[in-house]
Amino acid sequence: MKSIKTLLNAVFSLFFPDLCQSCSRPLVKGEFFICLHCFCQLPQTNYHLRPSNPAEELFRGKFDYEKISAFLLFEKGGKTQQIVHQIKYKNNKAFGFWCGQLMAEEMMPSGFFSGIDIIVPVPLHKKKQKKRGFNQAEAISRGIANKCNIQVDISNLQKSKGNTTQTKKSRIERWLNSRELFQINNKEIFSGKHILLIDDVVTTGSTLEACAQCIKSCKDLKISILTFAMSH
């Protein structure tokens, strides 16, 4: 029975191979989601190895933080954009989870996740999440948590109202659009904890800043930020 199943799987893979989520080439044995060629070309920032980096500079002076980093650089038409598009708009939760695992594996040796108590993905409004099918930041967070054995909280920080899309807005318009969008249900849950906020892409930082401003009222709170990608 097992040999027949193996044969059927091989035949299926021959006619319907898994494709690279970046270049759409068929994946070979040992490759998952991204082919080796594209994997070697991922524009990793290595910001987590730099005490003062562009991701930190984006938020400097806006709120107190412990550490901030972004995994990949985001360029229009580049590989990172293709990857983010596959996660965000193709309902590819498994790929988002894998990307989170990849981030954790690459960054854990530096000690970036040491001391983190709770991972909090930037929440979507209920209507948007229902329409999209899932929250891409949560999928990434789950992948990180799987490798680092850290709790993920998706219920304490919530988006209280919807806002219009940020895609074509200026820096000021994004900031105005993100103010007072989030609410915290129980401050005691985050009090005394080191919270790691996770998002897929940071551009102006307005959404993450709004999240940080919302939760910073918790007693003895520490805030860190990590995004899968950062525009530059």
Side-chain angles (χ1 to χ4, degrees):
M1 181 66 71
K2 182 177 289 187
S3 59
I4 295 176
K5 185 177 180 180
T6 302
L7 178 62
L8 289 174
N9 286 335
V11 172
F12 185 85
S13 298
L14 179 65
F15 290 99
F16 303 99
D18 290 330
L19 303 178
C20 174
Q21 299 298 303
S22 177
C23 68
S24 298
R25 295 174 182 171
L27 296 176
V28 300
K29 187 176 181 180
E31 294 179 338
F32 300 95
F33 293 106
I34 299 177
C35 69
L36 181 59
H37 176 75
C38 288
F39 183 85
C40 292
Q41 293 185 330
L42 290 178
Q44 293 191 39
T45 66
N46 289 317
Y47 286 167
H48 60 291
L49 302 177
R50 296 165 56 180
S52 182
N53 62 64
E56 284 192 5
E57 292 296 330
L58 189 63
F59 296 98
R60 194 174 300 281
K62 296 178 180 178
F63 56 88
D64 293 333
Y65 57 80
E66 298 297 312
K67 45 195 170 184
I68 299 178
S69 188
F71 184 57
L72 300 178
L73 290 176
F74 184 100
E75 290 184 342
K76 191 172 182 180
K79 291 191 176 299
T80 304
Q81 184 183 35
Q82 295 167 350
I83 291 170
V84 170
H85 188 274
Q86 288 294 327
I87 298 171
K88 197 168 185 175
Y89 301 112
K90 299 294 185 179
N91 200 25
N92 202 333
K93 188 185 297 186
F95 186 32
F97 184 89
W98 181 86
C99 286
Q101 289 183 311
L102 174 64
M103 292 168 69
E105 288 175 352
E106 294 291 320
M107 297 175 67
M108 279 175 67
S110 72
F112 183 87
F113 300 100
S114 298
I116 301 295
D117 296 303
I118 304 174
I119 295 174
V120 178
V122 170
L124 294 176
H125 189 266
K126 290 181 180 179
K127 288 184 178 179
K128 178 173 281 190
Q129 182 158 337
K130 184 176 181 180
K131 180 180 180 180
R132 188 172 290 170
F134 77 110
N135 179 358
Q136 68 278 2
E138 181 186 343
I140 293 169
S141 296
R142 297 287 184 192
I144 295 172
N146 179 260
K147 290 293 183 179
C148 300
N149 195 28
I150 302 174
Q151 173 189 353
V152 177
D153 188 300
I154 62 169
S155 59
N156 200 29
L157 178 66
Q158 294 187 334
K159 197 165 189 181
S160 55
K161 57 182 179 179
N163 60 333
T164 55
T165 181
Q166 300 273 60
T167 306
K168 296 182 179 181
K169 294 184 183 296
S170 68
R171 183 179 294 268
I172 296 298
E173 288 172 332
R174 284 172 182 250
W175 180 77
L176 291 171
N177 195 38
S178 298
R179 288 188 308 170
E180 301 177 353
L181 287 177
F182 300 95
Q183 66 180 28
I184 188 166
N185 295 322
N186 186 346
K187 292 183 179 181
E188 291 300 317
I189 293 175
F190 288 171
S191 292
K193 299 295 194 298
H194 187 171
I195 304 299
L196 178 62
L197 291 171
I198 299 288
D199 207 357
D200 56 347
V201 182
V202 60
T203 303
T204 65
S206 56
T207 300
L208 282 160
E209 181 185 354
C211 289
Q213 295 292 352
C214 177
I215 68 174
K216 73 176 187 179
S217 59
C218 296
K219 187 178 179 181
D220 298 325
L221 180 79
K222 293 180 180 180
I223 300 174
S224 290
I225 288 175
L226 175 60
T227 65
F228 179 67
M230 179 178 178
S231 297
H232 72 112

